[in-house]
Amino acid sequence: MTRRPMVGGNWKMHLDAAAATALATDVAGGIGADSLVDVAVFPPTPYLHLVAEIARGAALQVGGQDASGETQGAYTGQTAASMLFDVGCSWALVGHSERRHGLGEDDALASRKVRAALDAGLRVLLCVGETLEEREAGRTFPTVCGQFEHSLHGIQTADLERIDIAYEPVWAIGTGRTAGPSEAQEVHAALRETVALLYDARSAERIRILYGGSVKPANAQALMACEDVDGALVGGASLESEPFLDIVRAAFPPEHS
Ligand code: PEP
């Protein structure tokens, strides 16, 4: 089975309405109506609707950077997955390290968010990754595979069809430090093995595992050439269209690059 590559752009809490409009317009124009790669952007919540309108007609997908684990009610400041769907999103990021480590969100909360997002009709990009301390203590594999397992608590094999993973070492996010291709590959392979153990071989073969952490045009191709690296989740380099589109092109299957 060949997995279709995916590149995501996480805009975090950057840009304003005018800049988001310009960036989305340039990215949508650069991709066109048909792409060899799945491309999604994750704009700040207030700009989701306008970016989704621009993305319509292009092969550009839009997602929320987070989704509530609750469906509706008195949850000030949260955004229900159904609201993301309603404004044109097809994705939710869940478990980004800036929520796990910045806001203290745990695997139990991530699993409720995954469930809510799937129930609302969204696809999920589940982020996992170890801190530098965990890596140096030799705990990379148990940390990321444990995050995967516990963040998907209660998720059945059929649900897995709408889930992909982003391996994002915390020490590489926004730092300019990146995992080398072989460091990334070994964690991706361990994650795929975990999917096979917890689910089945077919799901392990199908699931996409993106790498994230200071991906730039200069390192994207080497990372995405690894057997188990199926694309990239990009933060800083997704805030301008040219570097982001260069990374999208780096994900093209070899015969097209
Ligand atoms: C991210 O936020 O998911 C990310 C990978 O950021 P950066 O590319 O800036 O390291």
Side-chain angles (χ1 to χ4, degrees):
M1 186 190 295
T2 17
R3 294 177 292 272
R4 182 178 164 83
M6 173 171 175
V7 175
N10 177 10
W11 295 357
K12 308 193 186 191
M13 200 169 73
H14 292 294
L15 310 175
D16 56 19
T21 301
L23 179 56
T25 304
D26 289 349
V27 170
I31 293 168
D34 192 18
S35 176
L36 299 163
V37 172
D38 279 351
V39 184
V41 290
F42 297 85
T45 309
Y47 309 137
L48 284 170
H49 190 236
L50 74 87
V51 171
E53 286 300 308
I54 293 166
R56 203 190 288 264
L60 177 63
Q61 302 167 36
V62 181
Q65 295 174 15
D66 183 45
S68 177
E70 309 295 334
T71 49
Q72 63 149 38
Y75 300 103
T76 302
Q78 298 194 40
T79 305
S82 59
M83 295 169 181
L84 297 176
F85 187 84
D86 202 23
V87 298
C89 290
S90 47
W91 287 92
L93 271 190
V94 175
H96 192 279
S97 82
E98 285 151 16
R99 301 203 68 91
R100 288 182 187 271
H101 297 287
L103 298 171
E105 297 190 356
D106 61 11
D107 291 333
L109 179 53
S111 78
R112 292 202 297 280
K113 292 179 176 195
V114 170
R115 182 72 271 157
L118 293 174
D119 288 348
L122 297 171
R123 296 186 61 93
V124 169
L125 187 53
L126 174 71
C127 303
V128 297
E130 82 287 2
T131 62
L132 189 56
E133 208 180 359
E134 288 162 335
R135 172 162 282 261
E136 287 175 348
R139 296 197 41 78
T140 298
F141 294 168
T143 300
V144 300
C145 297
Q147 285 173 344
F148 171 79
E149 176 175 5
H150 299 120
S151 300
L152 294 190
H153 178 76
I155 296 299
Q156 306 300 313
T157 307
D159 293 325
L160 218 56
E161 304 257 333
R162 287 190 290 132
I163 297 174
D164 294 295
I165 307 170
Y167 166 56
E168 300 205 298
V170 179
W171 47 270
I173 297 179
T175 59
R177 266 188 81 179
T178 188
S182 60
E183 280 175 310
Q185 168 58 28
E186 64 180 7
V187 180
H188 284 231
L191 276 163
R192 203 175 296 288
E193 218 174 284
T194 303
V195 179
L197 280 173
L198 296 174
Y199 293 91
D200 56 24
R202 191 188 155 274
S203 303
E205 186 58 28
R206 186 214 60 78
I207 202 163
R208 289 184 295 202
I209 309 177
L210 279 51
Y211 171 79
S214 298
V215 176
K216 310 283 178 218
N219 60 21
Q221 197 148 26
L223 285 159
M224 293 190 286
C226 297
E227 189 183 339
D228 289 294
V229 178
D230 305 311
L233 181 57
V234 186
S238 71
L239 294 174
E240 288 179 29
S241 59
E242 272 321 307
F244 184 64
L245 290 168
D246 281 346
I247 295 170
V248 170
R249 285 187 279 270
F252 283 3
E255 63 274 19
H256 297 278
S257 55

